[in-house]
Amino acid sequence: MTRHIELALIGGTGLYQFPGLDKIERHAVDTPYGPPSDSVVLGQVGKHRIAFLARHGESHTIPPHRVNYRANVWALHHLGARRVLGVNAVGGIRGDVGPRVLAVPDQIIDYTHDRLTSYCDVAGAEVRHIDFSEPYSAGLRKDLLAAASQAGVAVVDGGCYGATQGPRLETCAEIVRLRRDGCDLVGMTGMPEAALARELGLDYACLALVANWAAGCGGETEISLPEIFANLAAMTTQVPRLISALLAT
């Protein structure tokens, strides 16, 4: 099945539906890799057609290490998406990316393990060695930054996303290691999603919503989950305006 979809959005923690969609269709996509996290929602934003998929399911029932990333990305590609924006809740490590900051990272380090990370992991599949030097598509990143400026949404340009296994949050010592490795943000869902998109030839970028300071970075002795969800609720209200501007670019 192919149809013209201008943008696919993968919603992370706190973004389980995309408000303001018209002419909604829900598609339960069968994939060679099992079921996606949920049905893919197709709809209109003005004149623009988008797809939306809740990474953890619309009821947030799937933890980061159990997300079927291969099925999710394949389903969006199958429905006709060619540009994919992953929205990810993250913790802030660098001083200028604290809670309620939006960032558009340009690099990633993968610390995850035991995930199905490639479409080559199937018997008989072609072995493809993708170039992953720049893990996010430059053109889509540029358009996203321009859209943020046009929409009046403040975002930080660049930064390295450290992808950890989850679902637990990291120790202070682990964050010290990530900082030493050059990570500015830490999250649990950035990989293998970005690499899978590259394998399918999709343009892919990340919009990171900083929900909290990473362990040991903000002076707090304990990370507050209610505060995390309050921060995400505040930030997700800006996402539709940013997406509308992105679709107009």
Side-chain angles (χ1 to χ4, degrees):
M1 176 186 296
T2 59
R3 58 183 68 201
H4 184 59
I5 296 173
E6 294 183 54
L7 181 71
L9 200 65
I10 302 177
T13 299
L15 187 64
Y16 310 114
Q17 297 175 338
F18 191 82
L21 282 183
D22 296 323
K23 301 180 181 178
I24 290 176
E25 305 170 11
R26 299 183 66 92
H27 291 263
V29 183
D30 292 325
T31 89
Y33 309 98
S37 296
D38 214 316
S39 297
V40 179
V41 177
L42 301 184
Q44 299 281 137
V45 177
K47 300 178 181 179
H48 308 282
R49 189 167 183 80
I50 74 166
F52 179 84
L53 175 61
R55 187 185 287 113
H56 300 284
E58 290 189 4
S59 300
H60 198 107
T61 55
I62 308 171
H65 65 302
R66 295 296 186 189
V67 171
N68 191 340
Y69 295 95
R70 294 194 303 179
N72 286 354
V73 176
W74 191 93
L76 296 173
H77 179 268
H78 175 69
L79 289 172
R82 294 299 177 263
R83 304 176 96 203
V84 178
L85 178 63
V87 181
N88 302 77
V90 301
I93 299 175
R94 199 174 72 198
D96 62 336
V97 285
R100 302 202 178 191
V101 169
L102 279 68
V104 183
D106 58 358
Q107 276 295 332
I108 195 164
I109 299 177
D110 188 4
Y111 300 93
T112 66
H113 54 84
D114 300 324
R115 298 184 182 189
L116 296 172
T117 61
S118 172
Y119 293 109
C120 301
D121 291 338
V122 179
E126 177 188 0
V127 177
R128 298 185 61 202
H129 300 284
I130 58 170
D131 176 15
F132 207 53
S133 305
E134 303 294 334
Y136 303 112
S137 302
L140 184 52
R141 285 193 71 257
K142 179 181 177 182
D143 289 347
L144 183 59
L145 293 167
S149 177
Q150 180 180 349
V153 175
V155 298
V156 172
D157 178 4
C160 182
Y161 179 130
T164 59
Q165 180 71 356
R168 68 168 178 84
L169 299 176
E170 300 74 29
T171 68
C172 291
E174 287 169 332
I175 295 301
V176 169
R177 175 197 177 193
L178 266 64
R179 186 197 299 274
R180 187 170 60 242
D181 287 350
C183 296
D184 306 298
L185 306 162
V186 58
M188 303 172 189
T189 54
M191 286 292 285
E193 192 172 278
L196 293 167
R198 181 64 54 88
E199 284 192 3
L200 291 183
L202 301 174
D203 287 333
Y204 179 90
C206 167
L207 177 64
L209 311 183
V210 184
N212 58 281
W213 285 113
C217 292
E220 300 88 352
T221 57
E222 186 175 341
I223 295 173
S224 165
L225 291 180
E227 185 176 345
I228 284 176
F229 286 106
N231 289 336
L232 288 172
M235 286 183 290
T236 54
T237 61
Q238 301 181 73
V239 173
R241 188 164 83 252
L242 179 52
I243 296 305
S244 294
L246 177 60
L247 291 168
T249 57

